[in-house]
Amino acid sequence: MFAPVPEGGASEQLFLGGMVRHDTLAQIFRSMILLAAAITCLISADVPRVGRRGDYYAIIIAATLGMCLMSAASDLIMVLIALETTSISLYLLVGFLRGDAKSAEAGVKYFLFGAFSSAVLLYGLSLLYGFAGQTNIYGLSGALAAAGLEPGHVLLVLVMVLVGFGFKVSAVPFHFWTPDVYEGAPTPITAFISVGSKAASFALLLRFFLAVFPTYEEYWVVVIAVLATFTMTLGNLLALVQRNIKRMLAYSSIAQAGYALIGVAAVAADNSLGSGAVVFYMFMYTLTNLAAFTIVILVERVTGGDQIADLAGLHQRAPRLALAMFLALLSLGGIPPLAGFAGKLFLFSAAVDAGLVWLAMVGVINALVSLYYYLVVAKVMYVDQPAHADKAIAVSRPYVYSLVVTVVGMVLLGTIFIGPWLNWSTSAASGLF
Amino acid sequence: MEPAPLNISAYVVLSAILFAMGALGVLIRRNAILVFMSVELMLNAANLALIAFARFYNQMDGQILVFFVMTVAAAEVAVGLALIVVIFRTRRSINIDELSRLKD
């Protein structure tokens, strides 16, 4: 898994008959995914009806395997297998609470949307195979160029592939499942989908687009920039009106996907700066969102509710939990010295470098809007009076570990680790070309 | 033996028609099982295109992909029908318009 990466570009790094590529990008995304899976298991420990079930953890391992393969897939066949291994395991996990109507409904919705979008993606892949006559994604761009296709044909494939990936990263207009699934799924699984599945999908998106469509950049840069604009704006505006903390975090995660898409748009027009920024951003988002969800699970267990109002007076009941949640919210909002600030800074500067100044402006305005709803939660925790002040919030050992790792990682990533981490991210990105 | 010449466009057009029928079915049908069957139709449209292309290029890659699509579809059926059964037990209905407990 962490074996050293072979030197010498794609030809030396392909394994299993060209199915997977072992490079720095795959390595950094795998470490993200494994961290997310480990913390998901930790924060599942005390959750009723999932924490003591062996099959639950077995399915998490299957999903993790799928995500690791997604981050390394370099053949259309492996792209399909990895995506479906991940998706099918996640459908099961979302609907895992068997007697619970909300969980079942979330599972069915996720399943129907997911199956539809992966069918569209598959049709796109089959057309791609038809145009190029081969399945290795590092051979496809040359074969496409040699086939001398009209741009319209490639654009059709591009749109179909984007439907599939857009669903996985919950980009607008393929985001409808997100709030419902986040609310209905067992909360640790919500955390896992929001970070693991999203990170793996961004890895695949970056690799696929840079390898297959480098000559069609002029089309997909515009498409992704527009997608990023809508994703950020709609996510943030709808997050403003949420009263349920899990739905709020769902719309926030849509908005965060929008920011990361800025980096994808900047990638194409420029160089490794944009994709390096995406890698950095996904790492900081993994740590931050896992911290936030750990608190949500702890509070949910005591109050039995997942409304924002249930966090009222958290500061009086458990000051350290309130502080951890506060830091996570500030990082999501992009306040220095937390990791979220550095992540947004790199994304926006990559966009400016690539000549997409308007996109960077949209991003900055959106970041300001998002501060409002993050700070509303902070106000509820610090100012409002608690409804159940007498009930102590018990924090067992696994949750302590999870919080320490995520909060410390979040602070370090925003301060002394910025330099080394950005170097690692950009070196991962430069291997893509 | 020389393979017989293949009229590739006929297969691609047929698969596009199947795909469109499946996509329309997903958008129009309200019964979860019928929606799911329409998704299967879309998968099979892709399979048809893949097989035709594989024959056209005289190579195995496309055929191998089809085997994996069929396996994936079978796994999806198992999971999907299980979820639909669960939703039927709690709701006594599998109309997707009635899946409205989760909303803003």
Side-chain angles (χ1 to χ4, degrees):
Chain A
M1 186 66 66
F2 289 99
V5 174
E7 297 288 323
S11 55
E12 297 295 316
Q13 293 169 339
L14 290 176
F15 292 96
L16 300 178
M19 287 290 152
V20 294
R21 180 173 173 186
H22 180 54
D23 57 4
T24 321
L25 186 88
Q27 213 171 27
I28 193 167
F29 271 104
R30 269 202 303 259
S31 46
M32 243 180 261
I33 292 158
L34 292 177
L35 178 78
I39 291 187
T40 305
C41 291
L42 281 179
I43 61 181
S44 303
D46 289 348
V47 176
R49 290 194 293 162
V50 301
R52 298 276 181 265
R53 296 279 303 265
D55 46 355
Y56 170 80
Y57 295 102
I59 305 172
I60 288 187
I61 291 173
T64 311
L65 174 70
M67 291 175 194
C68 288
L69 287 174
M70 268 167 81
S71 68
S74 62
D75 194 288
L76 298 185
I77 298 175
M78 187 48 89
V79 168
L80 176 84
I81 298 171
L83 264 175
E84 292 297 328
T85 309
T86 311
S87 304
I88 294 177
S89 318
L90 289 179
Y91 303 149
L92 279 173
L93 289 170
V94 168
F96 201 84
L97 302 174
R98 245 187 292 164
D100 185 290
K102 274 181 161 185
S103 175
E105 180 178 326
V108 169
K109 279 186 178 167
Y110 192 36
F111 168 71
L112 288 178
F113 274 111
F116 177 67
S117 68
S118 51
V120 176
L121 172 72
L122 175 69
Y123 199 72
L125 296 186
S126 76
L127 289 182
L128 196 58
Y129 172 66
F131 292 150
Q134 62 167 306
T135 54
N136 194 293
I137 65 174
Y138 290 101
L140 277 172
S141 77
L144 281 181
L149 295 167
E150 286 181 37
H153 289 138
V154 181
L155 215 58
L156 181 70
V157 173
L158 201 71
V159 168
M160 288 185 155
V161 171
L162 258 184
V163 172
F165 291 162
F167 164 80
K168 293 297 287 180
V169 302
S170 62
V172 174
F174 318 109
H175 68 286
F176 295 105
W177 59 277
T178 315
D180 292 354
V181 169
Y182 278 37
E183 187 186 344
T187 316
I189 295 308
T190 310
F192 194 40
I193 292 176
S194 75
V195 295
S197 166
K198 191 166 290 198
S201 311
F202 267 106
L204 187 55
L205 181 76
L206 278 176
R207 190 188 294 282
F208 198 90
F209 273 60
L210 285 176
V212 179
F213 302 118
T215 43
Y216 298 92
E217 263 177 30
E218 50 195 309
Y219 302 107
W220 61 269
V221 166
V222 179
V223 175
I224 292 206
V226 171
L227 218 59
T229 308
F230 281 112
T231 307
M232 282 185 292
T233 312
L234 203 76
N236 278 325
L237 290 182
L238 288 173
L240 290 174
V241 297
Q242 299 304 319
R243 285 195 305 264
N244 180 305
I245 184 85
K246 282 161 85 177
R247 287 189 92 84
M248 191 277 267
L249 285 170
Y251 283 110
S252 133
S253 106
I254 295 175
Q256 305 282 346
Y259 300 131
L261 282 174
I262 295 183
V264 180
V267 152
D270 191 37
N271 50 33
S272 52
L273 198 63
S275 39
V278 176
V279 176
F280 188 94
Y281 200 81
M282 288 324 292
F283 214 114
M284 93 80 198
Y285 179 67
T286 304
L287 290 169
T288 308
N289 231 26
L290 286 171
F293 272 110
T294 308
I295 315 276
V296 172
I297 292 171
L298 286 169
V299 172
E300 197 181 8
R301 261 183 54 223
V302 178
T303 62
D306 50 9
Q307 302 298 310
I308 292 177
D310 288 320
L311 288 166
L314 188 64
H315 174 63
Q316 294 170 28
R317 303 164 68 188
R320 276 176 295 182
L321 289 187
L323 181 66
M325 186 67 173
F326 186 53
L327 289 176
L329 291 169
L330 289 187
S331 180
L332 284 173
I335 301 286
L338 293 151
F341 172 72
K344 284 206 175 63
L345 186 68
F346 295 143
L347 283 176
F348 296 157
S349 63
V352 172
D353 256 36
L356 296 164
V357 180
W358 65 272
L359 192 57
M361 291 303 295
V362 174
V364 171
I365 293 168
N366 265 294
L368 291 177
V369 172
S370 75
L371 270 182
Y372 174 77
Y373 60 83
Y374 292 131
L375 290 180
V376 162
V377 176
K379 179 219 150 218
V380 169
M381 288 191 310
Y382 279 92
V383 180
D384 289 4
Q385 286 304 312
H388 324 265
D390 49 328
K391 285 196 212 158
I393 296 185
V395 185
S396 65
R397 195 60 70 77
Y399 292 84
V400 176
Y401 292 151
S402 151
L403 276 180
V404 167
V405 169
T406 50
V407 172
V408 169
M410 198 161 79
V411 174
L412 288 184
L413 202 57
T415 50
I416 54 177
F417 279 169
I418 290 187
W421 216 272
L422 188 68
N423 283 342
W424 196 24
S425 306
T426 28
S427 77
S430 58
L432 283 170
F433 296 93
Chain B
M1 197 176 75
E2 193 66 18
L6 179 73
N7 183 5
I8 184 80
S9 59
Y11 289 94
V12 177
V13 168
L14 177 61
S15 91
I17 293 172
L18 283 177
F19 183 80
M21 280 166 60
L24 270 179
V26 172
L27 299 177
I28 293 172
R29 294 290 185 172
R30 299 288 73 162
N31 180 312
I33 292 194
L34 290 179
V35 171
F36 184 49
M37 280 168 63
S38 305
V39 171
E40 293 292 309
L41 192 59
M42 293 164 71
L43 289 179
N44 283 323
N47 279 349
L48 179 64
L50 280 169
I51 294 173
F53 287 131
R55 180 79 154 74
F56 179 72
Y57 290 112
N58 262 328
Q59 44 170 250
M60 295 308 290
D61 298 13
Q63 310 248 12
I64 293 169
L65 187 44
V66 170
F67 276 118
F68 281 111
V69 174
M70 281 156 57
T71 319
V72 160
E76 238 171 27
V77 172
V79 171
L81 289 184
L83 284 169
I84 292 173
V85 168
V86 171
I87 201 87
F88 181 73
R89 283 206 184 132
T90 56
R91 281 309 145 75
R92 293 285 137 200
S93 152
I94 51 170
N95 186 325
I96 52 175
D97 286 335
E98 288 169 28
L99 296 180
S100 56
R101 184 157 303 185
L102 300 164
K103 63 180 170 199
D104 290 321

